[in-house]
Amino acid sequence: MDEWTKLTKDRVFISDLGKNLTAEIGGTETVLGRYAVWAPAPDGTHHRVVEVGCDCAELMQKYCVPPERVLKLQTAEAEHG
């Protein structure tokens, strides 16, 4: 079992995109949030996003996610920037 599977199998985790993202929705600039909560899907073979938000502490508390399961997304931009 690889490290990723050991950390996330059958567990809720949060991905951190590094910054809040925005999108134009219906002509209005809207903040999408930088944190996505992932929960195991009912079939047990993958995860699905259950909530996206801007407040990591709130999401951690709501879904009982410890700090070691808040996972920062690494991008080529972050590595070179």
Side-chain angles (χ1 to χ4, degrees):
M1 187 179 295
D2 66 10
E3 187 174 339
W4 173 260
T5 302
K6 286 180 190 176
L7 184 62
T8 63
K9 183 168 178 55
D10 300 321
R11 294 185 179 103
V12 176
F13 67 93
I14 296 174
S15 61
D16 176 358
L17 299 177
K19 62 182 177 178
N20 285 324
L21 302 175
T22 60
E24 189 174 310
I25 300 173
T28 303
E29 191 78 9
T30 304
V31 176
L32 302 177
R34 72 184 265 184
Y35 303 102
V37 179
W38 296 79
D43 67 9
T45 62
H46 62 282
H47 284 71
R48 63 182 176 181
V49 174
V50 294
E51 187 170 347
V52 175
C54 299
D55 188 332
C56 187
E58 180 182 294
L59 293 169
M60 289 171 68
Q61 182 176 14
K62 181 176 179 179
Y63 292 95
C64 300
V65 175
E68 61 270 15
R69 288 203 316 266
V70 176
L71 310 171
K72 184 153 176 98
L73 180 68
Q74 293 293 321
T75 64
E77 181 179 293
E79 292 173 6
H80 301 292

